[in-house]
Amino acid sequence: MRQTGAVPVLAIIASLSLLAWLWLTCCQGWFWRTDVRLPARSAPRRRPEVAVIVPARDEAEVLPLSLPSLLAQRYPGPARVILVDDGSSDGSGDLARGLAGPGLLPLLVTSPGEPPQGWTGKLWALRHGVELAGEAEYLLLTDADIAHGPDSLAQLVAAAESNQLELVSQMARLRTQTRWEQLIVPAFVYFFAQLYPFRRSNRPGSRTAAAAGGCTLVRREALARAGGVAAIRGAVIDDVNLARLVKRSGGRTWLGLAEQVDSVRPYPELAQLWRMVSRSAYAQLRHSVLLLAGTVLGLALVYLVPPVALVAGLAAGDARVAVPAGVAWALMALTFRPMLAYYGRPAWESLLLPFTAGLYLLMTVDSAVQHWRGRGAAWKGRTYGAPVRVTESD
């Protein structure tokens, strides 16, 4: 009797998982498609001035691989690079100065000092860079570990000009050289797109808004209209918050996958990838225990139930469990395949997504635990707790 009673419960759970996958596949903005690339563009009639702002903290390892690609941009208008050294202890600033040279874009290396209370280091550095950009019409906010193809800047500006966009952002192609990178990275972008479907984010009337901090071109006036960098001064997830502000202030935003923008930062071991995810996962949930509980249950239902229920159903010879679980797992694998193809990975690795999702579940829980222990979002020697609400009088 106990076994007979347990099977219907598992069948219901498997069916709920299948319903979740049917909804995600058909109703979540086609998040699984990877054909959202820079929109159609023509050569702009104008040549607006652009300032490229690169916040850098202890980036001596990656700057020789990324900064030369920015300095060598083939942009037809006035442009310069501002590298903001955020208190580096590894000589990042001096190294950057040594990479400048004739025939390249002008480079300014500066330092804003330690951030005041309530500011994250990166946003304090970005604020300093924005101030130094002067009257430049566009600002390219890009991370120190991001390498750009020679025409990346020109294409970003052309896309903004041709489509009347205030913000254009590309999700950089992350490294997938080590086995852990191959397992974790495609799923990271897949989950991001599931949370913020690119097509939905790019729709002017949609409430969804997102950007990728590694490569975001924004009009200076649109940033100022949205409140400037100060409006998100304490945000750990600054890119999504910036896109929300620009969109809410009436600006049009666009986000898609990159073709000429690549991350050069290595993540050879699981521990490094774990820190990359866990440092901001609980902040993504707005430091809410209820959202954390819902996320854990949701990840378990959507990603862990299908393989477990399929095995259990087959072992018990119960089609009521095995069929919905198998179909749910098949939908999971099919929607993951385009992202694997984008990263040049074989299709069979889509079957590993439940395992990877289990790791992300643990990373999310660990992020909350670290916050409760007072460690918050720890990154390069700094720890950030929940941001203080910014008021008009601040």
Side-chain angles (χ1 to χ4, degrees), residues 34-41 170 173 254 256-259 342:
T34 56
D35 57 348
V36 183
R37 308 300 171 87
L38 276 178
R41 55 204 176 276
Q170 289 185 293
R173 197 189 306 259
W254 185 93
L257 294 174
E259 295 177 338
Y342 173 72

Side-chain angles (χ1 to χ4, degrees), residues 266-285:
Y267 293 98
E269 299 176 359
L270 176 60
Q272 295 161 316
L273 288 159
W274 191 290
R275 285 194 296 272
M276 178 190 75
V277 176
S278 65
R279 71 187 180 93
S280 60
Y282 196 44
Q284 183 72 59
L285 300 176

